[in-house]
Amino acid sequence: MNILVIKFRNIGDVLLTAPLITALHTAGHRVSALVKSGTEAMLEGHPQLDDVLVYPMRSQGEGRLAYLRRELAFYRQLRARRFDLAINTTEGDRGVIAAFLSGAQRRRGPFTPGRDNRWRRYLLTETVNPRDTHLRHTVLRNLDLGHPDAANIPIAVTLHINDADRDTVRRLLDAQGYDSARPLVHIHPTSRWFFKCWTDDGMAATIDHLIANGAQVALSCAPDGHERAKLDAILARCRQRPFDLGGRLTLKQTAALSAIAAVFFGVDTAPMHMAAAVGTPVVAIFGPSGAFDWGPWPNGWRSDANPYPARNGVQSAGAHLVIQQSWDCAPCGQAGCNNRKRSDCLERTGTTQVIAALDAALARSHVR
């Protein structure tokens, strides 16, 4: 069967569709993926994926009519591929419409009666009512959409890194004095949503502790002015000097940095998922979002049960550890407390607890 998997979401969301692609390929199908521009790197090089298709974006200065013509041309090319099944993996409307316009005779996607718009149901030929959505990991919910073709195999999030990306990262580290004989901690302290971030003081104190106790620390952030400013604010509070790679890495190079590291430390962001995908132990702080939904995936997981079964608190899965307050309101799923862009649960997470978790993770890395 020729299958199209559609994921119109952000970088981390796209990466977490990798196990579904692997399962469909293992069941003997040809698999293509359709994603937003800027997220395709998460699936490029996936060994079980035949094609990564990128939905056309409207160019700066492009008129609506010109863009519409390009969209229609894209859908004509999509229909020419003669997909047998299109799987929309999100609740968004655009994915349902894309599945319908792909020309696939079978169109599968999540649909919750009484909540989703009824017209969505008519564009799908097969609906999957998400089960236990509030306590079911995104990886497992993606796999539910592959039923019955989702194979019962170890579940792994696959992320391909090439040698050129590894070499680039190594050169950047070497230029700042990297010593391969000492453990490296990759810290990505930023997110496009600052209400997911820990305090600058907490990050700086953690960096200082790690370096003072013999570890090396490499910092990264997206090539975005706001994230760069936040990284600078953290660096200004540091007494020790970490390696600063902020804004200098592509997505794949960010993953290559994690692959070199003994431990990754950060918050709920795409780089956290990327670090877990390349097999690096993760210590992550969670606030408004739930680890049961978005925790770093433990590759090799063999169960249909959620690796993070609790609603909040400290949880571990495989080599990964998530730190979250055990508050009744956590996770709230909002843009900070009462949507005010600041999260008390993160601001009140103690440095002592985080440092202890990182020290333990580094100690385990020595015996791996």
Side-chain angles (χ1 to χ4, degrees):
M1 195 186 316
N2 189 15
I3 299 178
L4 177 66
V5 174
I6 304 169
K7 176 66 80 174
F8 286 151
R9 285 290 171 85
N10 297 316
I11 296 165
D13 307 66
V14 171
L15 177 59
L16 296 187
T17 62
L20 172 61
I21 291 164
T22 299
L24 293 171
H25 174 87
T26 302
H29 305 301
R30 187 185 190 280
V31 187
S32 300
L34 175 58
V35 300
K36 294 194 309 181
S37 178
T39 67
E40 62 270 23
M42 294 297 93
L43 295 179
E44 287 173 343
H46 188 303
Q48 284 84 41
L49 185 62
D50 292 280
D51 292 297
V52 182
L53 309 174
V54 181
Y55 195 87
M57 288 183 62
R58 186 175 176 180
S59 304
Q60 187 174 7
E62 183 179 24
R64 292 184 179 180
L65 184 58
Y67 176 59
L68 178 59
R69 290 190 184 115
R70 282 205 302 120
E71 271 192 309
L72 293 175
F74 174 80
Y75 278 116
R76 283 195 295 270
Q77 295 169 4
L78 199 63
R79 294 174 74 89
R81 290 173 174 266
R82 298 186 180 277
F83 291 106
D84 302 298
L85 169 65
I87 302 177
N88 173 45
T89 58
T90 67
E91 292 79 11
D93 294 341
R94 188 167 58 156
V96 175
I97 295 170
F100 179 76
L101 294 179
S102 72
Q105 290 187 345
R106 295 172 58 192
R107 301 176 298 278
R108 184 184 302 162
F111 182 82
T112 303
R115 189 189 70 182
D116 292 335
N117 292 325
R118 188 177 299 178
W119 65 264
R120 289 165 48 88
R121 174 65 184 85
Y122 296 111
L123 297 187
L124 297 170
T125 61
E126 304 170 17
T127 61
V128 176
N129 190 353
R131 54 191 177 117
D132 301 327
T133 53
H134 295 295
L135 288 173
R136 190 157 180 80
H137 198 282
T138 300
V139 166
L140 297 176
R141 286 190 280 120
N142 285 334
L143 285 169
D144 290 342
L145 292 165
H147 181 79
D149 294 316
N152 184 22
I153 58 175
I155 304 169
V157 177
T158 303
L159 178 59
H160 175 75
I161 309 169
N162 62 35
D163 290 339
D165 289 329
R166 296 178 191 273
D167 292 343
T168 297
V169 171
R170 185 58 185 267
R171 285 196 300 271
L172 290 171
L173 288 173
D174 287 345
Q176 298 192 39
Y178 172 64
D179 179 1
S180 61
R182 294 168 54 204
L184 176 70
V185 179
H186 175 194
I187 298 182
H188 191 96
T190 60
S191 165
R192 70 171 68 183
W193 297 287
F194 280 11
F195 59 82
K196 287 187 175 185
C197 296
W198 196 30
T199 64
D200 295 349
D201 287 337
M203 280 292 179
T206 301
I207 292 166
D208 285 342
H209 168 85
L210 291 169
I211 297 175
N213 285 272
Q216 301 170 104
V217 172
L219 302 181
S220 63
C221 74
D224 169 83
H226 295 291
E227 291 196 31
R228 180 67 244 188
K230 186 166 186 63
L231 196 66
D232 287 339
I234 293 169
L235 285 167
R237 290 165 167 80
C238 291
R239 291 188 295 271
Q240 306 283 347
R241 301 315 300 171
F243 305 140
D244 180 5
L245 302 184
R248 302 177 64 184
L249 304 177
T250 66
L251 288 171
K252 288 293 185 74
Q253 289 165 359
T254 302
L257 175 59
S258 289
I260 295 172
V263 177
F264 173 92
F265 172 53
V267 293
D268 174 23
T269 59
M272 176 200 72
H273 294 298
M274 292 155 58
V278 298
T280 300
V282 168
V283 175
I285 304 176
F286 271 59
S289 50
F292 55 79
D293 199 8
W294 297 106
W297 185 260
N299 278 351
W301 188 257
R302 289 179 172 270
S303 173
D304 186 57
N306 197 329
Y308 302 95
R311 185 172 180 271
N312 54 33
V314 176
Q315 301 186 71
S316 61
H320 311 313
L321 180 76
V322 170
I323 299 171
Q324 187 171 39
Q325 299 284 4
S326 299
W327 295 0
D328 290 342
C329 60
C332 64
Q334 299 182 35
C337 300
N338 299 315
N339 288 315
R340 60 181 172 87
K341 308 299 182 183
R342 293 185 61 179
S343 302
D344 291 345
C345 57
L346 285 170
E347 293 182 1
R348 291 172 60 181
T349 297
T351 307
T352 301
Q353 181 183 25
V354 172
I355 286 174
L358 285 167
D359 285 345
L362 280 169
R364 289 192 297 270
S365 73
H366 290 319
V367 299
R368 282 195 300 161

